[in-house]
Structure formats: C-alpha cells, structure tokens
Amino acid sequence: MKFLKFKKKLLCFVCASATLAGVFFPVQTAFAADSSYEPVTTTDTVYEGFFNGTSSLDMTLSARFTSGAMNEDGGSSEIVAYNEKYNTAYVVNGTKGVLDCIALAHEKTESSVKNLTGTELDVKALVEGKDSSFTYGDMTSVSVSPDGKMVAVAVQDADYSKSGRAVLFTYNKNKKLVLKEMITTGVQPDMITFADNKTVLTADEGEPREGVSGTDPKGSVTMISISNNSKKASKANIIYFDSFDAKRGQLTDAGVIIQKGTNPSTDFEPEYIAVSSNGKTAYVALQEANSIAVLNLKSGKFTNVYSLGLQNYNETEIDLLKNDEINLANYDVYGIKMPDGITLYEQKGKTYLLTANEGDSRADWEGLDNEVESKTSPSGDLKLSEKVVWFNAGMFDGLDSEKAYIFGGRSFSMYQVTSQGLKLVFDSGSDFESITAEVLPDYFNCSNDKISLDNRSGKKGPEAESVTIGKIKNRTYAFIALERISGIMVYDITNPTNVQFTNYINSRDFSAKVQDDVSPEGLAFVSGNRRTAKLLASCEVSGTVAVYDLKAVK
C-alpha cells in the first residue's frame, strides 16, 4: 500500500481495473484537458464548465427552476423528464406530492440565469381521490412516452408492504395533463419508463424498510400493456425473481451479492431500468446485489442476472481518509459498484450499458444494517488512521469475507452486452475525485448538506447518482450527476474503446451549505440543432432544476 498526499495537477491518463465475476479486465480510464483556469472561490450569477474553451463541449447554466421545497434529506425535484412535443419538462417533487410542469418555450441564453416558472399538478390529491384503497406515500419517478402523447409517474403507498401505482396522464385539447388511468404495480415502484408507446415498466424495489420486525416484500418489475380503449383497463404483469431461487448458489459464485438466509426473490431490489431501442429487452439495475437482471419483454421473463464486478483500489486511487486533506492513494480495498442510474448506448450493432456507481447501504433498517464504521476493516487485515464506512461482507454471500469492501465505485462504467454476459470496456476510475480535487479543492468530497472538505472521503466520496447520454455534432456524450459535491461530469463515449473526459460543471453556491443547485439526481437530454443542445438536471436537496446550454466547439 502506498500513501501519497495529492498534489494539484491534472492527470492525463489514469489506469484502473475492475473485477467481473471473478475475472480481471484491463480498463481504460482517461481525461485530458488544459488546466488553465482558476479554482472556484466566489459565486457568480452564471456558471460555466471548468474546461470551456479547451474541450469539445462548452457548458453554461442558462436557466433555473426553483420549486420552493428545499430539503436537506432530499426528495425535492428528484427526477426530470422532457417532452419534446410540447417543449415541457416534468419534475417529480415527492416532498410536496406534486408534479412540476415547466414550459421551456421562452427559455433562452442570456447574460444572467433566467428564472423559470411552472405549474403544479397535485398528484397526491388525484391518486387518493381516484383510489380509496391507496394512501399516498411518495412519488418517485416520471417518464414521457416516445410519441409525447402520455406522461407516467410512479407512486408508492404509505404502507411499505403494499402495492404502488403507475399513474398515466394524457393531454386534453388545451395541452394540459389529464388523468387517464391508475394501474397497480409491485411494491414500492422506484422508477418508471416507457419501453415504447404501448408499454410502461416500473422497477419495484420491495425494500424491507421496517427491518427484521417487518416484512421483506418481493422485488419485481411491472410490465403494463396500455389500453387505447377508454372502457378497457390496461393490463399489468408483475414479474418476480422466483425462478432464480433455485440458482442462488450459481449466482453468488458468480459475484451476485445476496444476503445470507434470503432468496433472490425477496432480496433483489430493482432500482432502475434501461430498455433497448427495439423494445425487446430491458436491463434492470439490482443495486444492492451489484448486478443487472435481463428481462425479455416479449416473454415477460427474466433470463439472466449478471454481476457488475468490483472497483479494485489496489490499482485505482481513492481518498479513504476523512482528515481535512486531499489524499489519493492505493489501498487493498474493493469498491462494490452498486449503480443507481443506468442507461444504454447502441452503436454499430453493439449495445453498451452505462452505470453510475453510487453504492447503497441498509443502515436505516432495523437489524439489517450492513455498515461498519471503524478504522479497522471487518476482515481485520486493514487498519487506517481514520474511520471508514465498510461493507459488512460477513452478512452476505457472493463476496470474500477476508477482503475489505466499501460501498460504491466512485465512478461510472461501460459494459458491452454480449451473449456471455457483460464485458467491462471502460471505467472512469479515480477521475471524479481527481478532477474535483483540482477544480474545487476547498470543497473536495464535501456532502450535499455540508460544505466541509473531506466530509465524504470515508463514505462513497462524490457518489455518482445517474447517467444519461446525448448526441451533438456527430459525437455522443455521457453525462454523470454527482450527488454529494454536486455538478455534472461529461465524457465523450463516441468510440467506446477511447472514452475521454470532456468537461465538468457545478452550479452550486458554496457560500452556504444548500444554495443554488445541490445534489443532482435526475438528468434529461434535450436535443437541439447540430451544434447545440441542453441538459436538464433535477436537484433533490436544493429543489431546483438546472438548465445547461451545451455547445459543440470542435
């Protein structure tokens, strides 16, 4: 192990590696940019990308919507979806129980940030008025149909063990949303998406939120076939993981993480869904299992579950020490990637899965807490000078209890989908920490409700939350939201064998612990002309939506 105090310089190439189902794959991870800029020390009205003028894509904050529901615990302005047909953004505000509808028709770049306004659709009142057996608990996600004719939201029941609802809206002749239908889903739908204009999917987590004293609902994916007949209800098929219970040992041998004494049917907790462009296959993130499930949408059956592998910090540098300094070093530690948001990139007949490697624990659930905060790893073989939040591998199968593990990969990854599974082709390694250390050294690894240096180094670092892609001037870019320090990382993924860091923008005001755009959770790419586009980022702590102008300059 080596301990090196980080020196302020940009790395032009960083080597990293990851483990996939026990096999090591070499991974390219790189960023290249001119470091001729000044670190942020003051607050400006307009925020720009740190590498504007030296990268292929310039970024500028042009507008902001403020919901007025700032919440240090999150849940405000959490997920955003965009309807190109009506040039309108829809933003989930679970805290208030409303869907914010923001018209972007008059939004334009100005010399200062334009304040956007919107209208609130009271989803909570609508669903409780429509279904007396349902008690609103939370609204978690929103999606727009490909043809722009429908909007769908996911809502959870206040009772953690009860089914949720998918709520479908259509447009009236005044272009306003009207309730079409409510469809029963699995327990705790956390993400909703259209597979096509006739099919909606929800990722139903089924978390054991009341701990060992409550129930552990089955995780599932609900596949809804939308009815075009107003007198005929849409059909829902709730798809469970029971078929994998008999294969539990095979899964854990391949690196799928399953809690001891449980079966996949109850332990798997679907988090996010990405659908292939032909609408035939859905890829489902099982965050806590550090895996991806493959769902055949024609048969309505899961076909495979694949481990996403580990971040090897023997080869990828990390700051594990919460000591008010920037210390990137190698450790005999492994990061369990555990992605939240995922998306697909299809190119030249190949499909790539992109994952934002956040990490997630069960610390809030009675008797199921898998965090261990200590200077010594649970395996006992690694002792550090500061406390670290470790993953308690002894509670799970699929890991080596003699090794030291932490939550998350502090990166994003790209996997090629093959007939044999997922092949890792790129991982950003230590880029997120290296870059933020360079451009925001005073706030390196701060949190979303604390601006102190190094606050999150011992626990998931910058915490990649979500990822989306967009094409501008024949280049395809990946945008990754960082939940803690905030801001958006951008990579050019046009050539999956030569992925390059492109830019980073952060429109958070660090003069206060929660000011401007804090904790981006959801992203939506808005196509423009050949050289320009926009990116919408919904920020769940500040309760804002940031609108970034994107301009191709090379």
Side-chain angles (χ1 to χ4, degrees):
M1 185 190 310
K2 64 177 180 177
F3 296 89
L4 297 175
K5 186 172 181 179
F6 184 79
K7 295 182 179 180
K8 291 178 60 179
K9 67 176 182 178
L10 279 175
L11 307 177
C12 293
F13 190 82
V14 183
C15 294
S17 69
T19 311
L20 185 59
V23 181
F24 283 92
F25 293 91
V27 185
Q28 288 186 330
T29 170
F31 62 91
D34 189 326
S35 59
S36 57
Y37 59 86
E38 294 294 327
V40 170
T41 56
T42 61
T43 301
D44 295 322
T45 303
V46 177
Y47 296 89
E48 295 187 342
F50 289 101
F51 302 98
N52 280 8
T54 62
S55 71
S56 63
L57 189 70
D58 279 358
M59 307 179 70
T60 304
L61 178 73
S62 62
R64 177 185 292 121
F65 169 78
T66 302
S67 70
M70 186 274 284
N71 187 345
E72 291 184 11
D73 295 325
S76 298
S77 299
E78 190 167 5
I79 300 297
V80 60
Y82 175 71
N83 190 331
E84 183 178 5
K85 183 176 182 179
Y86 296 110
N87 197 17
T88 300
Y90 298 98
V91 186
V92 167
N93 195 316
T95 300
K96 298 173 70 174
V98 302
L99 186 69
D100 288 314
C101 309
I102 310 166
L104 302 180
H106 302 295
E107 189 276 317
K108 63 181 180 180
T109 302
E110 298 180 351
S111 58
S112 61
V113 175
K114 183 177 180 64
N115 292 319
L116 300 177
T117 59
T119 59
E120 293 182 347
L121 180 64
D122 194 338
V123 173
K124 178 181 179 181
L126 282 173
V127 298
E128 290 188 332
K130 181 75 172 179
D131 186 349
S132 60
S133 67
F134 178 83
T135 302
Y136 175 89
D138 193 13
M139 179 167 45
T140 56
S141 184
V142 60
S143 183
V144 175
S145 62
D147 62 8
K149 294 181 179 181
M150 282 185 288
V151 174
V153 300
V155 291
Q156 299 183 359
D157 197 288
D159 185 330
Y160 297 145
S161 65
K162 289 186 176 181
S163 299
R165 300 291 188 272
V167 187
L168 301 184
F169 295 93
T170 56
Y171 291 87
N172 63 19
K173 57 185 177 182
N174 296 319
K175 301 180 182 179
K176 302 296 183 183
L177 291 180
V178 292
L179 179 63
K180 168 181 166 58
E181 192 177 1
M182 288 176 58
I183 303 101
T184 299
T185 69
V187 179
Q188 301 165 24
D190 193 52
M191 190 265 185
I192 194 166
T193 189
F194 282 87
D196 53 42
N197 291 318
K198 298 179 180 179
T199 310
V200 171
L201 305 173
T202 63
D204 313 317
E205 277 198 283
E207 295 176 327
R209 295 179 183 174
E210 296 176 335
V212 293
S213 60
T215 60
D216 187 355
K218 289 184 176 182
S220 62
V221 169
T222 302
M223 184 166 64
I224 300 167
S225 298
I226 302 171
S227 172
N228 291 324
N229 187 336
S230 60
K231 297 181 180 180
K232 188 176 181 181
S234 298
K235 294 182 179 179
N237 178 21
I238 302 177
I239 307 167
Y240 297 101
F241 293 92
D242 295 66
S243 62
F244 292 100
D245 287 350
K247 303 175 182 179
R248 186 185 190 281
Q250 298 175 36
L251 293 174
T252 55
D253 286 347
V256 177
I257 301 172
I258 302 175
Q259 182 178 307
K260 291 183 183 297
T262 67
N263 282 318
S265 58
T266 55
D267 204 49
F268 284 170
E269 299 169 2
E271 184 80 22
Y272 213 92
I273 302 172
V275 182
S276 60
S277 61
N278 61 14
K280 294 182 179 180
T281 307
Y283 299 87
V284 183
L286 307 177
Q287 186 172 28
E288 288 76 10
N290 193 38
S291 300
I292 297 292
V294 183
L295 175 61
N296 184 315
L297 294 177
K298 184 176 181 179
S299 66
K301 295 181 179 180
F302 289 107
T303 57
N304 289 292
V305 174
Y306 298 117
S307 169
L308 289 168
L310 305 169
Q311 192 72 276
N312 184 353
Y313 291 115
N314 287 289
E315 302 179 31
T316 299
E317 290 189 325
I318 184 176
D319 189 340
L320 270 181
L321 304 179
K322 185 179 176 180
N323 60 358
D324 300 324
E325 295 180 356
I326 299 173
N327 301 276
L328 289 177
N330 292 119
Y331 297 86
D332 189 16
V333 172
Y334 297 86
I336 308 173
K337 292 186 174 181
M338 295 179 163
D340 189 330
I342 62 174
T343 195
L344 289 182
Y345 173 42
E346 297 172 326
Q347 184 216 51
K348 296 181 180 179
K350 296 180 180 180
T351 298
Y352 299 90
L353 181 72
L354 281 67
T355 64
N357 303 323
E358 178 195 27
D360 195 22
S361 77
R362 296 174 172 176
D364 296 329
W365 304 341
E366 176 193 359
L368 299 175
D369 185 359
N370 56 353
E371 292 184 358
V372 177
E373 187 172 11
S374 173
K375 293 181 180 180
T376 304
S377 66
S379 58
D381 62 339
L382 185 62
K383 296 182 179 180
L384 303 177
S385 59
E386 305 292 335
K387 288 184 178 181
V388 170
V389 176
W390 307 98
F391 183 93
N392 189 352
M395 297 175 62
F396 295 83
D397 295 320
L399 296 170
D400 184 346
S401 60
E402 295 184 358
K403 292 183 178 180
Y405 300 93
I406 59 174
F407 294 89
R410 306 192 186 192
S411 66
F412 90 100
S413 302
M414 287 183 63
Y415 300 85
Q416 182 182 343
V417 179
T418 73
S419 58
Q420 289 78 39
L422 302 176
K423 178 184 177 182
L424 184 64
V425 296
F426 175 82
D427 186 277
S428 61
S430 59
D431 284 7
F432 296 167
E433 286 189 288
S434 296
I435 295 167
T436 54
E438 177 67 20
V439 299
L440 291 167
D442 293 339
Y443 308 104
F444 172 78
N445 276 356
C446 69
S447 189
N448 49 14
D449 59 352
K450 297 180 179 65
I451 56 175
S452 54
L453 169 70
D454 228 19
N455 180 263
R456 297 289 295 182
S457 288
K459 186 178 182 179
K460 296 193 284 188
E463 208 163 321
E465 177 70 26
S466 59
V467 56
T468 194
I469 65 170
K471 189 173 182 179
I472 309 171
K473 196 185 175 183
N474 299 320
R475 311 297 298 176
T476 300
Y477 297 94
F479 304 89
I480 306 97
L482 302 186
E483 181 178 2
R484 295 296 170 171
I485 192 172
S486 301
I488 313 297
M489 291 282 179
V490 188
Y491 284 73
D492 185 338
I493 62 168
T494 308
N495 180 358
T497 64
N498 187 29
V499 175
Q500 293 290 322
F501 168 75
T502 301
N503 213 333
Y504 173 55
I505 191 168
N506 191 320
S507 52
R508 176 180 186 175
D509 180 352
F510 290 93
S511 66
K513 65 179 183 178
V514 180
Q515 184 71 30
D516 288 353
D517 304 309
V518 183
S519 196
E521 176 88 8
L523 300 173
F525 181 80
V526 180
S527 298
N529 58 35
R530 184 172 178 268
R531 296 177 63 90
T532 65
K534 295 183 186 298
L535 182 74
L536 311 180
S538 52
C539 303
E540 66 164 346
V541 169
S542 56
T544 62
V545 178
V547 180
Y548 300 110
D549 282 352
L550 311 175
K551 182 180 179 181
V553 294
K554 292 183 180 180

